[in-house]
Amino acid sequence: MLDLPPFTCAAPYVIDGDTIQCSHGPRVRLARIDAPEMPGHCRRGRTCAPGDPFEAKAALVEVIGRRDLDCTPVSASPRGGSAVDRYGRTVARCSVDGTDLGEYMIAGGLAIEWPHP
């Protein structure tokens, strides 16, 4: 059961390669991708996405520019349920001018699919 309607993420601030803070709205975790963690953020015992976290963040900043995002919440779990993850972020598929950000990050080799196939 999804509990949140589609929304516009205005003046987004990129936190890392898969997390965005909307200026007057939620913190958003891009759905179905996992980008490299910023230094010190990969918890012990967790296998984190490979790659350069600074490159992933910069690519997301560049593709978004100064534009708002169109976001559609999806389940935070592959098993279904709420669109809010355990960290309180809204999990959503977001796009800018028709470009799906998750697909863009995967196609560019800047993120991997999640859950991991």
Side-chain angles (χ1 to χ4, degrees), residues 2-22:
L2 293 181
D3 44 5
L4 299 171
F7 62 94
T8 297
C9 177
Y13 172 77
V14 175
I15 306 236
D16 61 22
D18 57 24
T19 307
I20 298 164
Q21 176 66 54
C22 304

PDB file of all heavy atoms in Angstrom, residues 2-22:
ATOM      1  N   LEU A   2       0.799   2.030  -1.049  1.00  0.00           N
ATOM      2  CA  LEU A   2       1.557   3.275  -1.094  1.00  0.00           C
ATOM      3  C   LEU A   2       0.729   4.358  -0.436  1.00  0.00           C
ATOM      4  O   LEU A   2      -0.467   4.465  -0.646  1.00  0.00           O
ATOM      5  CB  LEU A   2       1.907   3.648  -2.527  1.00  0.00           C
ATOM      6  CG  LEU A   2       2.898   2.703  -3.204  1.00  0.00           C
ATOM      7  CD1 LEU A   2       3.187   3.168  -4.614  1.00  0.00           C
ATOM      8  CD2 LEU A   2       4.171   2.594  -2.422  1.00  0.00           C
ATOM      9  N   ASP A   3       1.412   5.172   0.339  1.00  0.00           N
ATOM     10  CA  ASP A   3       0.711   6.145   1.152  1.00  0.00           C
ATOM     11  C   ASP A   3       0.981   7.584   0.742  1.00  0.00           C
ATOM     12  O   ASP A   3       0.556   8.499   1.415  1.00  0.00           O
ATOM     13  CB  ASP A   3       1.066   5.934   2.624  1.00  0.00           C
ATOM     14  CG  ASP A   3       2.559   5.700   2.845  1.00  0.00           C
ATOM     15  OD1 ASP A   3       3.337   5.794   1.881  1.00  0.00           O
ATOM     16  OD2 ASP A   3       2.939   5.415   3.986  1.00  0.00           O
ATOM     17  N   LEU A   4       1.692   7.794  -0.378  1.00  0.00           N
ATOM     18  CA  LEU A   4       2.046   9.148  -0.788  1.00  0.00           C
ATOM     19  C   LEU A   4       1.736   9.364  -2.270  1.00  0.00           C
ATOM     20  O   LEU A   4       2.039   8.511  -3.091  1.00  0.00           O
ATOM     21  CB  LEU A   4       3.534   9.395  -0.545  1.00  0.00           C
ATOM     22  CG  LEU A   4       4.018   9.286   0.896  1.00  0.00           C
ATOM     23  CD1 LEU A   4       5.539   9.333   0.944  1.00  0.00           C
ATOM     24  CD2 LEU A   4       3.427  10.390   1.737  1.00  0.00           C
ATOM     25  N   PRO A   5       1.163  10.524  -2.625  1.00  0.00           N
ATOM     26  CA  PRO A   5       0.881  10.823  -4.031  1.00  0.00           C
ATOM     27  C   PRO A   5       2.141  11.334  -4.748  1.00  0.00           C
ATOM     28  O   PRO A   5       3.115  11.722  -4.098  1.00  0.00           O
ATOM     29  CB  PRO A   5      -0.170  11.930  -3.924  1.00  0.00           C
ATOM     30  CG  PRO A   5       0.187  12.641  -2.660  1.00  0.00           C
ATOM     31  CD  PRO A   5       0.672  11.558  -1.722  1.00  0.00           C
ATOM     32  N   PRO A   6       2.126  11.372  -6.089  1.00  0.00           N
ATOM     33  CA  PRO A   6       3.231  11.992  -6.830  1.00  0.00           C
ATOM     34  C   PRO A   6       3.414  13.431  -6.377  1.00  0.00           C
ATOM     35  O   PRO A   6       2.473  14.086  -5.922  1.00  0.00           O
ATOM     36  CB  PRO A   6       2.762  11.926  -8.286  1.00  0.00           C
ATOM     37  CG  PRO A   6       1.791  10.785  -8.312  1.00  0.00           C
ATOM     38  CD  PRO A   6       1.102  10.828  -6.962  1.00  0.00           C
ATOM     39  N   PHE A   7       4.648  13.929  -6.491  1.00  0.00           N
ATOM     40  CA  PHE A   7       4.939  15.285  -6.037  1.00  0.00           C
ATOM     41  C   PHE A   7       6.060  15.908  -6.854  1.00  0.00           C
ATOM     42  O   PHE A   7       6.792  15.216  -7.560  1.00  0.00           O
ATOM     43  CB  PHE A   7       5.309  15.290  -4.543  1.00  0.00           C
ATOM     44  CG  PHE A   7       6.544  14.496  -4.213  1.00  0.00           C
ATOM     45  CD1 PHE A   7       7.798  15.120  -4.135  1.00  0.00           C
ATOM     46  CD2 PHE A   7       6.479  13.138  -3.969  1.00  0.00           C
ATOM     47  CE1 PHE A   7       8.934  14.393  -3.834  1.00  0.00           C
ATOM     48  CE2 PHE A   7       7.609  12.399  -3.661  1.00  0.00           C
ATOM     49  CZ  PHE A   7       8.844  13.024  -3.598  1.00  0.00           C
ATOM     50  N   THR A   8       6.171  17.222  -6.742  1.00  0.00           N
ATOM     51  CA  THR A   8       7.262  17.964  -7.358  1.00  0.00           C
ATOM     52  C   THR A   8       8.307  18.234  -6.292  1.00  0.00           C
ATOM     53  O   THR A   8       7.986  18.735  -5.211  1.00  0.00           O
ATOM     54  CB  THR A   8       6.766  19.302  -7.946  1.00  0.00           C
ATOM     55  OG1 THR A   8       5.819  19.015  -8.982  1.00  0.00           O
ATOM     56  CG2 THR A   8       7.921  20.121  -8.513  1.00  0.00           C
ATOM     57  N   CYS A   9       9.532  17.868  -6.586  1.00  0.00           N
ATOM     58  CA  CYS A   9      10.659  18.158  -5.692  1.00  0.00           C
ATOM     59  C   CYS A   9      11.271  19.465  -6.178  1.00  0.00           C
ATOM     60  O   CYS A   9      11.985  19.496  -7.179  1.00  0.00           O
ATOM     61  CB  CYS A   9      11.669  17.014  -5.734  1.00  0.00           C
ATOM     62  SG  CYS A   9      13.143  17.290  -4.729  1.00  0.00           S
ATOM     63  N   ALA A  10      10.946  20.556  -5.482  1.00  0.00           N
ATOM     64  CA  ALA A  10      11.395  21.880  -5.892  1.00  0.00           C
ATOM     65  C   ALA A  10      12.799  22.168  -5.374  1.00  0.00           C
ATOM     66  O   ALA A  10      13.148  21.784  -4.257  1.00  0.00           O
ATOM     67  CB  ALA A  10      10.423  22.933  -5.375  1.00  0.00           C
ATOM     68  N   ALA A  11      13.586  22.838  -6.204  1.00  0.00           N
ATOM     69  CA  ALA A  11      14.950  23.244  -5.852  1.00  0.00           C
ATOM     70  C   ALA A  11      15.712  22.124  -5.157  1.00  0.00           C
ATOM     71  O   ALA A  11      16.162  22.266  -4.025  1.00  0.00           O
ATOM     72  CB  ALA A  11      14.915  24.504  -5.006  1.00  0.00           C
ATOM     73  N   PRO A  12      15.860  20.975  -5.825  1.00  0.00           N
ATOM     74  CA  PRO A  12      16.500  19.827  -5.179  1.00  0.00           C
ATOM     75  C   PRO A  12      17.975  20.056  -4.873  1.00  0.00           C
ATOM     76  O   PRO A  12      18.695  20.682  -5.655  1.00  0.00           O
ATOM     77  CB  PRO A  12      16.333  18.712  -6.204  1.00  0.00           C
ATOM     78  CG  PRO A  12      16.188  19.400  -7.507  1.00  0.00           C
ATOM     79  CD  PRO A  12      15.502  20.697  -7.206  1.00  0.00           C
ATOM     80  N   TYR A  13      18.404  19.552  -3.712  1.00  0.00           N
ATOM     81  CA  TYR A  13      19.809  19.568  -3.306  1.00  0.00           C
ATOM     82  C   TYR A  13      20.291  18.118  -3.290  1.00  0.00           C
ATOM     83  O   TYR A  13      19.697  17.277  -2.615  1.00  0.00           O
ATOM     84  CB  TYR A  13      19.974  20.199  -1.920  1.00  0.00           C
ATOM     85  CG  TYR A  13      21.371  20.054  -1.387  1.00  0.00           C
ATOM     86  CD1 TYR A  13      22.395  20.874  -1.855  1.00  0.00           C
ATOM     87  CD2 TYR A  13      21.674  19.078  -0.446  1.00  0.00           C
ATOM     88  CE1 TYR A  13      23.694  20.725  -1.384  1.00  0.00           C
ATOM     89  CE2 TYR A  13      22.972  18.920   0.031  1.00  0.00           C
ATOM     90  CZ  TYR A  13      23.974  19.751  -0.447  1.00  0.00           C
ATOM     91  OH  TYR A  13      25.261  19.590   0.021  1.00  0.00           O
ATOM     92  N   VAL A  14      21.342  17.832  -4.048  1.00  0.00           N
ATOM     93  CA  VAL A  14      21.857  16.471  -4.136  1.00  0.00           C
ATOM     94  C   VAL A  14      22.754  16.183  -2.940  1.00  0.00           C
ATOM     95  O   VAL A  14      23.747  16.873  -2.715  1.00  0.00           O
ATOM     96  CB  VAL A  14      22.622  16.260  -5.461  1.00  0.00           C
ATOM     97  CG1 VAL A  14      23.266  14.877  -5.499  1.00  0.00           C
ATOM     98  CG2 VAL A  14      21.693  16.461  -6.647  1.00  0.00           C
ATOM     99  N   ILE A  15      22.397  15.163  -2.170  1.00  0.00           N
ATOM    100  CA  ILE A  15      23.187  14.743  -1.006  1.00  0.00           C
ATOM    101  C   ILE A  15      24.293  13.789  -1.447  1.00  0.00           C
ATOM    102  O   ILE A  15      25.436  13.920  -1.044  1.00  0.00           O
ATOM    103  CB  ILE A  15      22.274  14.048   0.025  1.00  0.00           C
ATOM    104  CG1 ILE A  15      21.134  14.966   0.333  1.00  0.00           C
ATOM    105  CG2 ILE A  15      23.069  13.524   1.205  1.00  0.00           C
ATOM    106  CD1 ILE A  15      20.813  15.385   1.654  1.00  0.00           C
ATOM    107  N   ASP A  16      23.903  12.796  -2.269  1.00  0.00           N
ATOM    108  CA  ASP A  16      24.870  11.859  -2.840  1.00  0.00           C
ATOM    109  C   ASP A  16      24.248  11.299  -4.119  1.00  0.00           C
ATOM    110  O   ASP A  16      23.259  11.841  -4.608  1.00  0.00           O
ATOM    111  CB  ASP A  16      25.280  10.775  -1.828  1.00  0.00           C
ATOM    112  CG  ASP A  16      24.144   9.898  -1.350  1.00  0.00           C
ATOM    113  OD1 ASP A  16      23.109   9.792  -2.049  1.00  0.00           O
ATOM    114  OD2 ASP A  16      24.280   9.297  -0.279  1.00  0.00           O
ATOM    115  N   GLY A  17      24.812  10.225  -4.651  1.00  0.00           N
ATOM    116  CA  GLY A  17      24.373   9.711  -5.938  1.00  0.00           C
ATOM    117  C   GLY A  17      23.000   9.085  -5.972  1.00  0.00           C
ATOM    118  O   GLY A  17      22.498   8.771  -7.053  1.00  0.00           O
ATOM    119  N   ASP A  18      22.347   8.916  -4.823  1.00  0.00           N
ATOM    120  CA  ASP A  18      20.992   8.366  -4.824  1.00  0.00           C
ATOM    121  C   ASP A  18      20.061   9.019  -3.811  1.00  0.00           C
ATOM    122  O   ASP A  18      18.972   8.522  -3.558  1.00  0.00           O
ATOM    123  CB  ASP A  18      20.999   6.842  -4.649  1.00  0.00           C
ATOM    124  CG  ASP A  18      21.706   6.365  -3.391  1.00  0.00           C
ATOM    125  OD1 ASP A  18      21.817   7.138  -2.416  1.00  0.00           O
ATOM    126  OD2 ASP A  18      22.153   5.206  -3.380  1.00  0.00           O
ATOM    127  N   THR A  19      20.470  10.147  -3.242  1.00  0.00           N
ATOM    128  CA  THR A  19      19.638  10.832  -2.243  1.00  0.00           C
ATOM    129  C   THR A  19      19.586  12.331  -2.534  1.00  0.00           C
ATOM    130  O   THR A  19      20.616  12.956  -2.778  1.00  0.00           O
ATOM    131  CB  THR A  19      20.174  10.602  -0.825  1.00  0.00           C
ATOM    132  OG1 THR A  19      20.323   9.195  -0.600  1.00  0.00           O
ATOM    133  CG2 THR A  19      19.241  11.177   0.222  1.00  0.00           C
ATOM    134  N   ILE A  20      18.368  12.877  -2.478  1.00  0.00           N
ATOM    135  CA  ILE A  20      18.123  14.285  -2.799  1.00  0.00           C
ATOM    136  C   ILE A  20      17.240  14.880  -1.715  1.00  0.00           C
ATOM    137  O   ILE A  20      16.302  14.237  -1.238  1.00  0.00           O
ATOM    138  CB  ILE A  20      17.406  14.391  -4.164  1.00  0.00           C
ATOM    139  CG1 ILE A  20      18.305  13.823  -5.263  1.00  0.00           C
ATOM    140  CG2 ILE A  20      16.987  15.810  -4.462  1.00  0.00           C
ATOM    141  CD1 ILE A  20      17.585  13.522  -6.541  1.00  0.00           C
ATOM    142  N   GLN A  21      17.523  16.123  -1.341  1.00  0.00           N
ATOM    143  CA  GLN A  21      16.666  16.848  -0.408  1.00  0.00           C
ATOM    144  C   GLN A  21      15.876  17.887  -1.189  1.00  0.00           C
ATOM    145  O   GLN A  21      16.461  18.723  -1.881  1.00  0.00           O
ATOM    146  CB  GLN A  21      17.500  17.541   0.668  1.00  0.00           C
ATOM    147  CG  GLN A  21      16.692  18.394   1.631  1.00  0.00           C
ATOM    148  CD  GLN A  21      15.756  17.564   2.502  1.00  0.00           C
ATOM    149  OE1 GLN A  21      16.191  16.640   3.165  1.00  0.00           O
ATOM    150  NE2 GLN A  21      14.485  17.905   2.499  1.00  0.00           N
ATOM    151  N   CYS A  22      14.551  17.826  -1.094  1.00  0.00           N
ATOM    152  CA  CYS A  22      13.696  18.826  -1.736  1.00  0.00           C
ATOM    153  C   CYS A  22      13.643  20.059  -0.823  1.00  0.00           C
ATOM    154  O   CYS A  22      13.611  19.925   0.396  1.00  0.00           O
ATOM    155  CB  CYS A  22      12.300  18.266  -1.950  1.00  0.00           C
ATOM    156  SG  CYS A  22      12.287  16.731  -2.900  1.00  0.00           S
TER     157      CYS A  22
END
